[in-house]
């Protein structure tokens, strides 16, 4: 009987691993397809030549798509964990959600951390150096020469990063045990390095999120159709049409030798056409879209911003008054054991909305900063270098999102240890979970 029970347990464990692997593959496949369509929408079409550079661009495109899919997974994983916890609490014995368990959630977090490290330190540097490489002088030009140059650059970059982190560790904690721990590449060094990246991401989120919260109203105002109050759209369209025709006549009459005037007129004509398109869109919009959608969205943004600021202020006051409220790396109640919100499913839904709003605000704030203004992708006119930079930036922001939202008190999810780490004194290799 004991032998049969052991075989049954092993079969159950095998089927569970197969089921979890299948679910992870299907989820990632969906994210990869969506990411591919997003990148190809912005990728410059002139880059699609049929030569050696086309192969390089195609490889860089696949690596960038993989990174963007990992970023999307890192953003969606925290809301998925919160909603899974509430579902398990609501239907603890349901047959149809047996696949949704703590092992699957922890496995997804481990994969997210592994792929985030892989993209940050291997795939994206490889894609950038591979895109910029030409091959060493004296070697035959081709893909192999470019791969060789890329690998050499990656090795030099790894040595540089290893040295910087080693020096930083020596300055922060000059202890023999801590220095020896860096020799353990997998258990200590990579989580430490990823924690440094998460810290940079948190600082970037702290910088971008306030800017994004203030810019969200402006961005949504540009995307939505504003109400028509004391405005005559027909008259405005008529005036802008006359202005467009006048500029076109001036362009025909200007001599081609006056290059500066031609470029200035073409730019002015393009701005006029954009303004005319916006006015025509406002005219074609329905009364519901003009008078209901815009005010509703603005009120919703105001409510979300107010709730976010209120929760963060309450969490800061709790941290100042109650020392036990400080987020620690201790084991939490686990998935499916206790609700993460005092309001149950409604509170969890509110937390998810605020997490998505925080991420959207941080992305808007990131592109609103003057330093990163050139990173804004343009439809059908974004080079692969800019796409790689955007993917890395979004990956850093998404990697810091769980840490940032936990610190600000937007959720109370504890994932400090995986099931494989239970009972051991080693820290988890998962950078997300270590920070949480």
């Amino acid at each position: 009987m004991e032998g049969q029970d052991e075989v049954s347990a092993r079969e159950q464990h095998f089927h569970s691993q197969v089921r979890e692997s299948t679910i992870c593959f299907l989820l990632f496949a969906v994210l990869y397809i969506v990411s591919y369509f997003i990148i190809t929408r912005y990728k410059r079409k002139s880059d699609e030549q049929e030569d050696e550079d086309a192969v390089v661009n195609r490889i860089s495109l696949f690596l960038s798509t993989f990174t963007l899919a990992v970023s999307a997974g890192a953003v969606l994983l925290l809301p998925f964990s919160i909603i899974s916890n509430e579902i398990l609490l609501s239907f603890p014995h349901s047959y149809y959600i047996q696949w949704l368990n703590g092992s699957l959630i922890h496995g997804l977090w481990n994969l997210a951390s592994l792929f985030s490290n892989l993209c940050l330190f291997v795939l994206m540097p490889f894609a950038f150096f591979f895109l910029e490489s030409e091959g060493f002088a004296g070697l035959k030009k081709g893909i192999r020469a470019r791969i060789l140059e890329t690998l050499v650059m990656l090795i030099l970059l790894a040595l540089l990063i290893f040295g910087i982190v080693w020096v930083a560790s020596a300055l922060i904690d000059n202890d023999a045990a801590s220095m020896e721990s860096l020799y353990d590449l997998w258990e200590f060094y990579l989580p430490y390095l990823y924690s440094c990246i998460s810290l940079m991401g948190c600082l970037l989120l702290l910088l971008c999120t306030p800017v994004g919260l203030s810019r969200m109203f402006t961005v949504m105002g540009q995307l939505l159709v504003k109400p028509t109050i004391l405005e005559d759209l027909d008259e405005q369209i008529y005036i802008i049409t006359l202005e467009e025709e006048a500029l076109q006549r001036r362009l025909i009459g200007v001599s081609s030798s006056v290059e500066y005037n031609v470029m200035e007129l073409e730019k002015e004509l393009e701005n006029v056409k954009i303004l005319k398109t916006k006015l025509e869109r406002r005219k074609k919009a329905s009364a519901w879209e003009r008078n209901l959608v815009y005010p509703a969205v603005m009120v919703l943004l105001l409510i979300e911003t107010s709730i976010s600021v209120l929760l963060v202020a309450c969490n800061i006051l709790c941290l100042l008054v109650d020392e036990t409220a400080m987020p620690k790396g201790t084991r939490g109640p686990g998935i499916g054991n206790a609700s993460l919100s005092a309001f149950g499913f409604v509170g969890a839904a509110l937390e998810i909305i605020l997490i998505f709003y925080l991420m959207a605000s941080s992305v808007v704030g990131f592109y609103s900063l003057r330093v990163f203004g050139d990173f804004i992708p343009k439809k059908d006119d974004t080079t692969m270098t800019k796409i790689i930079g955007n993917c890395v930036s979004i990956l850093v922001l998404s990697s810091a999102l769980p840490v940032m939202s936990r610190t600000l008190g937007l959720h109370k999810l504890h994932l400090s240890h995986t099931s494989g780490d239970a009972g051991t004194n080693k820290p988890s290799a998962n950078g997300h979970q270590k920070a949480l």
Side-chain angles (χ1 to χ4, degrees):
M1 293 294 294
E2 293 181 358
Q4 292 180 354
D5 293 339
E6 183 179 357
V7 172
S8 177
R10 284 188 298 174
E11 288 181 353
Q12 185 176 2
H13 177 72
F14 172 76
H15 292 306
S16 176
Q17 292 295 321
V18 172
R19 181 176 63 248
E20 292 176 9
S21 301
T22 304
I23 293 173
C24 293
F25 175 77
L26 292 176
L27 291 176
F28 185 78
V30 173
L31 292 176
Y32 188 91
I33 294 173
V34 174
S35 302
Y36 179 79
F37 282 112
I38 292 175
I39 291 181
T40 51
R41 176 181 175 83
Y42 291 98
K43 182 177 176 292
R44 179 177 292 177
K45 302 303 179 182
S46 59
D47 289 341
E48 299 178 355
Q49 58 268 40
E50 295 297 332
D51 53 5
E52 178 184 317
D53 291 334
V55 178
V56 175
N57 280 321
R58 199 171 295 117
I59 294 175
S60 300
L61 174 63
F62 292 152
L63 296 180
S64 301
T65 305
F66 183 87
T67 303
L68 187 60
V70 172
S71 304
V75 172
L76 296 174
L77 192 52
L78 184 57
F80 179 75
S81 301
I82 295 174
I83 198 67
S84 298
N85 181 74
E86 300 301 325
I87 290 175
L88 289 174
L89 285 175
S90 302
F91 310 98
H93 304 295
S94 176
Y95 173 78
Y96 298 100
I97 60 170
Q98 292 298 315
W99 58 273
L100 190 62
N101 49 37
S103 177
L104 174 64
I105 303 299
H106 286 295
L108 289 173
W109 279 98
N110 286 329
L111 288 176
S113 176
L114 174 63
F115 288 151
S116 297
N117 282 288
L118 183 66
C119 293
L120 275 176
F121 305 122
V122 180
L123 297 185
M124 285 293 94
F126 178 86
F128 177 76
F129 290 130
F130 190 46
L131 194 65
E132 300 294 329
S133 65
E134 296 180 357
F136 290 113
L139 295 179
K140 184 180 179 181
K141 300 297 182 181
I143 298 296
R144 292 184 179 181
R146 300 179 74 160
I147 292 177
L148 178 61
E149 181 184 352
T150 303
L151 293 178
V152 172
M153 293 298 296
L154 283 178
I155 293 173
L156 294 177
L157 179 64
L159 293 176
L160 178 62
I161 295 177
F162 188 86
I164 291 175
V165 174
W166 191 281
V167 171
S169 176
L171 293 175
I172 296 174
D173 189 8
N174 191 9
D175 186 12
S178 63
M179 298 297 291
E180 290 180 1
S181 66
L182 290 178
Y183 287 112
D184 195 341
L185 187 66
W186 183 258
E187 292 291 339
F188 291 94
Y189 183 79
L190 285 180
Y192 176 74
L193 185 59
Y194 191 75
S195 298
C196 295
I197 300 296
S198 295
L199 175 61
M200 293 174 56
C202 286
L203 296 177
L204 189 60
L205 276 177
L206 285 174
L207 180 64
C208 297
T209 305
V211 180
L213 290 175
S214 61
R215 284 279 300 169
M216 283 293 290
F217 296 91
T218 305
V219 172
M220 294 306 297
Q222 294 174 352
L223 295 176
L224 299 176
V225 178
K226 297 181 180 180
T228 305
I229 302 175
L230 301 178
E231 286 185 290
D232 190 352
L233 292 180
D234 293 329
E235 182 179 355
Q236 293 183 20
I237 293 175
Y238 177 72
I239 294 173
I240 206 72
T241 303
L242 293 178
E243 188 176 352
E244 180 184 4
E245 293 175 354
L247 288 173
Q248 289 176 349
R249 285 194 298 267
R250 288 178 62 186
L251 275 175
I252 296 174
V254 171
S255 175
S256 60
S257 59
V258 189
E259 184 177 354
Y260 177 76
N261 290 336
V262 172
M263 293 178 60
E264 187 177 355
L265 288 174
E266 287 179 350
K267 185 176 181 180
E268 188 175 355
L269 179 61
E270 183 180 356
N271 294 332
V272 169
K273 288 182 177 180
I274 293 175
L275 181 58
K276 182 181 178 181
T277 303
K278 292 181 179 179
L279 290 174
E280 289 177 347
R281 184 194 169 198
R282 291 182 61 186
K283 183 180 178 181
K284 293 178 181 178
S286 62
W288 288 95
E289 185 178 358
R290 288 197 305 265
N291 303 322
L292 182 63
V293 175
Y294 181 84
V297 171
M298 290 296 126
V299 171
L300 183 61
L301 287 179
L302 183 60
I303 293 174
E304 290 181 349
T305 305
S306 303
I307 294 176
S308 302
V309 174
L310 182 62
L311 288 178
V312 172
C314 293
N315 184 63
I316 293 175
L317 290 176
C318 291
L319 294 178
L320 292 175
V321 175
D322 187 8
E323 185 180 355
T324 60
M326 184 71 69
K328 299 180 178 64
T330 56
R331 178 185 293 272
I335 299 294
N337 295 327
S339 180
L340 301 175
S341 175
F343 300 99
F345 198 87
V346 177
L350 179 61
E351 290 179 356
I352 293 174
I353 293 174
L354 293 179
I355 289 172
F356 280 126
Y357 183 61
L358 177 67
M359 186 62 191
S361 301
S362 63
V363 173
V364 171
F366 175 80
Y367 288 116
S368 299
L369 297 176
R370 291 185 179 181
V371 181
F372 306 106
D374 295 336
F375 273 55
I376 299 178
K378 298 179 181 179
K379 183 181 177 181
D380 297 333
D381 192 27
T382 307
T383 61
M384 279 305 305
T385 305
K386 281 189 177 182
I387 289 176
I388 292 173
N390 278 278
C391 291
V392 172
S393 303
I394 294 176
L395 180 60
V396 172
L397 291 175
S398 63
S399 300
L401 179 64
V403 183
M404 189 67 178
S405 56
R406 178 75 176 96
T407 305
L408 295 178
L410 296 182
H411 73 90
K412 299 180 181 179
L413 182 66
H414 291 272
L415 281 169
S416 56
H417 294 275
T418 60
S419 57
D421 296 327
T424 65
N425 294 324
K426 292 184 179 181
S428 172
N430 190 329
H432 288 284
Q433 297 173 7
K434 180 179 179 182
L436 286 170

